[in-house]
Amino acid sequence: MHTKTISQLSAVLRSGEVSSVELTSLFLDRIKQHNLALNCFISITEAQALEAAAAADQRLKAGNAAPLTGVPIAHKDIFCTEGVKTTCGSKMLDNFIAPYESTCTAKFRDAGAVMLGKTNMDEFAMGSSNETSYFGAVKNPWDQGRVPGGSSGGSVSAVAARLAPAATGTDTGGSIRQPAALCGLTGLKPTYGRVSRFGMIAFASSLDQAGPVTYSAEDAALMMNVMAGFDERDSTSVAREVPDYSANLENGIEGLKIGLPKEYFGEGLDGNIARVIDAAIKEYEALGAVVKEISLPNTGLAVPTYYVVAPAECSTNLSRFDGVRFGHRCDDPQDLFDLYTRSRGEGFGLEVKRRIMIGTYVLSAGYYDAYYLKAQKIRRLISDDFRAAFEKVDVIMGPTTPSTAFKLGEKADDPVTMYLSDIYTIAVNMAGLPAASIPAGFVDGLPVGLQVIGNYFDESRLLNVAHKYQQATDWHLQVPKEFQ
Ligand code: GLN
């Protein structure tokens, strides 16, 4: 039962073969059994989960269930959940019980999905390995000596180990796609503005976007049907009709034009990963797609530009955590200055401090034009590259990550090498485009992800393209040995 997709679980719940309380208990037991080793949950919300499951069972009996009613899922601990500790992976918020519910989690709650708990993450979503969490590193279920990726590492590790059948994540520079690739799952970052950011603790507001982590594209569509949509409480949410993401999954992809950016296949890409991606592209050709080489000439500027824009935004967003309005407060402050500096000094971890310092620097009067303004101009060039590409092709494909999951500690002391883990994912956030990572094979027993980038609001097509591949392959259904 624990290896079923949420589409299958939804059917099983409807048939009455299993109740939501039974299903929820099964996953709670699995979490208790494995969380000590994997560390993917910060909070396990057992009592609320069982209560929600009982309510879902009533709804199922009454015949007014939605597709996700009774299906257990996990939420990244970046979403405010009313009455439940919401830490964002930080000591700063270790004692924060959210007084309200984020729009995203409220939509799942209203759809009858059952929250199992809140998942571990890099502190304030800054990281690519889940090692910056105040609550400790998360392990990759495929090899527990390796990272699951980040920052949504807890969500992804939990789903990969079948401790939850699906989860939410957020992606500012790759934090859904990169861990999904490293753990063999399907992860989707929607178009900027497609999913409400209300109640989602902000890292870099112009880049942050929530999305699903699932086994299959079919499941991602079910999650998107709940998550997507306009929210008047998020001023950057887009008022645009939400399609039924499950409706076009079966469309044929004959004649689909796939662009392969030459910049994504050059130096820095592991040769074994390149071979896996080539094989996936061949599979698409066999399904009738046509492949075209394209160029995204400003690809090399994406990571350095991101590391100006994201820290700038984070330095302003994180100023609210001052020990007065929000966050950890130091003991016995001598005066206001002491209160601010010690509370922030104690509450934030190293990587967050590094970003705040960089952000404050690039926004300061003497450097604003040279760094921040320049970065914004380059951001436009990066978007323009994609705009030009989408005049010629329907989707863009390439590797999600330059290597498979690395060893715990391997890059922890080398921020620049760590930042390069997102070399293929970051430009997508800079442009605000949607993109998915789907399992495409293995190298030495470790999963490899294929990234599929779409045009603005073209999530339906991405899911269709991913689903067709998943009908022809079974990479997305592989389960790490210990968790089968
Ligand atoms: N790894 C990138 C960073 O550290 C992206 C993180 C994210 O997408 N939240 O900023």
Side-chain angles (χ1 to χ4, degrees), residues 125-128 151 171-175 203 306-307 355 422:
M126 297 173 201
S128 307
S151 64
D171 191 313
T172 302
S175 279
F203 161 13
Y306 171 88
Y307 280 99
R355 306 268 180 123
D422 299 313

Side-chain angles (χ1 to χ4, degrees), residues 77-262:
D77 208 15
I78 198 168
F79 294 101
C80 287
T81 40
E82 193 177 349
V84 174
K85 188 165 96 157
T86 299
T87 69
C88 219
S90 181
K91 178 179 179 184
M92 193 48 112
L93 291 175
D94 188 23
N95 60 3
F96 177 58
I97 309 281
Y100 68 100
E101 189 82 17
S102 79
T103 297
C104 184
T105 51
K107 285 184 166 207
F108 281 108
R109 186 194 57 194
D110 297 347
V114 174
M115 177 174 83
L116 294 166
K118 307 286 296 288
T119 57
N120 204 343
M121 54 180 286
D122 278 300
E123 186 177 9
F124 286 101
M126 297 173 201
S128 307
S129 67
N130 234 286
E131 293 168 293
T132 74
S133 169
Y134 172 63
F135 302 91
V138 177
K139 315 284 160 41
N140 188 321
W142 290 96
D143 175 348
Q144 294 179 34
R146 292 177 188 270
V147 305
S151 64
S152 311
S155 288
V156 172
S157 172
V159 178
R162 273 54 181 173
L163 310 189
T168 51
T170 63
D171 191 313
T172 302
S175 279
I176 290 175
R177 292 160 287 154
Q178 184 255 15
L182 301 193
C183 291
L185 294 177
T186 300
L188 173 70
K189 182 206 95 74
T191 308
Y192 182 77
R194 183 75 287 191
V195 176
S196 170
R197 293 186 297 109
F198 178 79
M200 189 176 110
I201 296 170
F203 161 13
S205 309
S206 76
L207 302 160
D208 299 342
Q209 185 62 198
V213 174
T214 53
Y215 307 136
S216 65
E218 193 183 9
D219 280 3
L222 287 179
M223 296 280 281
M224 281 298 288
N225 283 342
V226 176
M227 301 172 86
F230 174 66
D231 178 8
E232 60 185 15
R233 289 175 299 181
D234 169 5
S235 61
T236 56
S237 123
V238 177
R240 185 181 167 120
E241 206 183 323
V242 179
D244 175 356
Y245 291 105
S246 303
N248 297 328
L249 291 173
E250 301 296 339
N251 290 359
I253 56 167
E254 299 78 20
L256 176 86
K257 286 186 250 134
I258 299 175
L260 302 179
K262 61 173 195 268

Side-chain angles (χ1 to χ4, degrees), residues 321-333:
F321 302 107
D322 57 6
V324 179
R325 291 170 298 174
F326 288 99
H328 165 81
R329 181 180 294 186
C330 67
D331 289 333
D332 305 320

